[in-house]
């Protein structure tokens, strides 16, 4: 029986800078696999729009791999528990070794461990690389030998290592001789609703988006990145989340285009690099504290907060009918497109937790179920930051005023008018707080009074802290 190498694509849906693919093809004739584990995706609240992006990207990947004479087998799995039965079907192909890139989440790690052991018994080897981050999680420790809990020293260490080692991007492998398979598994992936159609999925288009951002937009990133009405950020997160592009490719392109600007503190290029370092930071945090996957607060005393969890208020937040125009515009954009600007993610997260007093985990879950770029580490990190429960989180008394945020970051109401048509005809001076005008009748009234809600939040946190202190004293 001929022997083949098998690359199992998961969150690394690309042919460039793909160590698993490169290594497999260096070892001999290679085939590739993608499994759609629908039930597990559903259990992880993966948004339909993200599933659709994956489906479209996998189809494009299939063509790109065909150009390398690597057939991509597409299998409709169900849950991770079926993983052995998927591989059972493939063993007759004569697989010598399975190549993968690590996934950091707990269930994925367990799935891989079970499969690795199962394959070993059947004489199939397992090869895994750890390249989701620029530097491998666990390789950075502070003076006490532990992972950093604060971003700034982590970033300093990261930059030091970057200056010493740089980043290495792997080229696309050269085509191999055609591989003939006995199993008719080269099928198109099923399902899909085309809801992600606004996001191109061809490798060249994604690379062009990166190039365009680094050539034309990054200079102004520092100045404009907080304005949601503008297209001033890279919008690469959906691709980074599914691995259609790697973080190393982003940094390498930035180095080429920004040159010396990258060394200037506060240049657009260096601020953008800092955002990519935030991405690494949250992944390192997840690996160091795997219990985060169980949605535990990082700061344990905040577990005692008695969230009000009013379902009617939660529904108003989800639907974008809170009566706070910027919050509502952001939520409606999320519901309709699967996308939300970073500034708005912070505003709506703060509003849910500190104005509506709803458990941050409700928002975290809702985001995952809607975001095209849903990524556990970044989403959990962002929510715990906003809720003041996480590593390097906002202090609990830092409470965004949703109206002031609106005046600062959408001063002319362009973003609001785009997503809240009831307010489209309002003059600028009323767009952020329309409730004084009779013409705003079609628009919902404010569900809470921000000033009062703020006081309640301070009280909730103080109470939880006192509880923590009491239990410390009694131990
Ligand atoms: C409550 C909340 C939830 C979030 N959920 C997610 C999520 O599920 N998936 C996700 O990718 N990002 C998440 N973020 C981070 C951030 O909002 C998005 O990465 C960013 O808006 C994506 O837009 P962009 O690609 O144009 O980013 P750019 O501004 O161009 O930044 C470049 C890249 O850096 C990374 N990045 C930027 N900011 C952050 C950050 N704060 N944390 C981690 N990585 C960052 C992303 O990969 C992003 O694509 C969340 C933030 C908050 C406050």
């Amino acid at each position: 029986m001929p022997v083949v190498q098998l690359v199992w694509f998961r969150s690394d849906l690309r042919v460039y800078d793909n160590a698993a693919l490169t290594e497999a093809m260096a070892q001999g004739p290679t085939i590739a696999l993608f499994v759609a584990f629908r039930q597990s995706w559903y259990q992880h609240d993966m948004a339909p729009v993200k599933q659709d992006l994956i489906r479209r990207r996998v189809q494009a990947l299939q063509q790109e791999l065909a150009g390398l004479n690597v057939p991509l087998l597409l299998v409709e799995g169900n849950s991770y528990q079926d993983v052995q039965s998927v591989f059972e079907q493939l063993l007759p192909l004569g697989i010598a070794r399975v190549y993968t890139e690590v996934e950091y989440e707990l269930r994925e790690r367990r799935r891989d461990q079970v499969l690795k052991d199962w394959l070993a018994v059947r004489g199939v080897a397992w090869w895994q690389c750890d390249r989701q981050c620029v530097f491998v999680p666990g390789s950075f420790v502070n003076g006490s030998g532990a992972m950093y809990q604060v971003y700034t020293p982590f970033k300093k260490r990261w930059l030091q290592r970057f200056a010493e080692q740089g980043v290495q991007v792997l080229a696309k492998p050269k085509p191999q001789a055609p591989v003939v398979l006995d199993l008719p598994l080269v099928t198109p992936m099923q399902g899909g609703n085309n809801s992600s159609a606004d996001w191109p999925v061809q490798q060249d288009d994604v690379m062009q988006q990166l190039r365009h951002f680094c050539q034309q937009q990054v200079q102004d990133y520092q100045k404009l990145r907080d304005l949601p009405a503008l297209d001033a950020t890279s919008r690469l997160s959906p691709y980074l989340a599914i691995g259609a592009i790697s973080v190393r490719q982003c940094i390498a392109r930035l180095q080429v285009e920004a040159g010396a600007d990258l060394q200037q503190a506060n240049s657009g290029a260096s601020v953008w690099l800092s955002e990519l370092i935030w991405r690494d930071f949250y992944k390192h945090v997840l690996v160091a504290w795997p219990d985060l996957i169980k949605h535990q607060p990082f700061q344990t005393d905040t577990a005692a907060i008695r969230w009000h969890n009013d379902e009617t208020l939660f529904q108003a937040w989800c639907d974008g009918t809170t009566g706070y125009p910027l919050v509502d515009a952001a939520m409606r954009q999320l519901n309709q497109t699967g996308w939300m600007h970073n500034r708005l993610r912070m505003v709506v997260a703060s509003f849910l937790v500190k104005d509506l007093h709803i458990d941050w985990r409700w928002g975290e879950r809702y985001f995952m179920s809607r975001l095209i770029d849903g990524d556990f580490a970044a989403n959990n990190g962002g929510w715990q930051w906003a809720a003041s429960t996480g590593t390097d989180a906002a202090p609990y008394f830092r409470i965004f005023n949703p109206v002031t945020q609106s005046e600062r970051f959408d001063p002319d109401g362009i973003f609001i008018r785009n997503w809240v048509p009831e307010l489209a005809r309002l003059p600028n001076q009323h767009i952020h707080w329309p409730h004084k005008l009779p013409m705003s009748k079609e628009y919902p009234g404010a569900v809470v009074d921000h000033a009062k809600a703020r006081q309640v939040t301070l009280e909730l946190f103080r109470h939880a802290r006192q509880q923590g202190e009491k239990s410390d004293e009694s131990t």
Side-chain angles (χ1 to χ4, degrees), residues 221 233-237 272 275 339 342 345 373 375 379:
Y221 181 76
T233 65
S234 71
R235 293 172 68 96
L236 286 168
S237 53
W272 196 59
E275 297 305 321
W339 171 259
N342 182 56
R345 295 185 204 208
D373 64 6
D375 169 87
N379 194 42

Side-chain angles (χ1 to χ4, degrees), residues 359-374:
D359 191 327
W360 56 272
R361 286 165 280 220
W362 291 30
E364 181 196 20
R365 187 165 184 200
Y366 188 76
F367 261 35
M368 272 317 255
S369 74
R370 289 291 185 282
L371 279 173
I372 190 168
D373 64 6

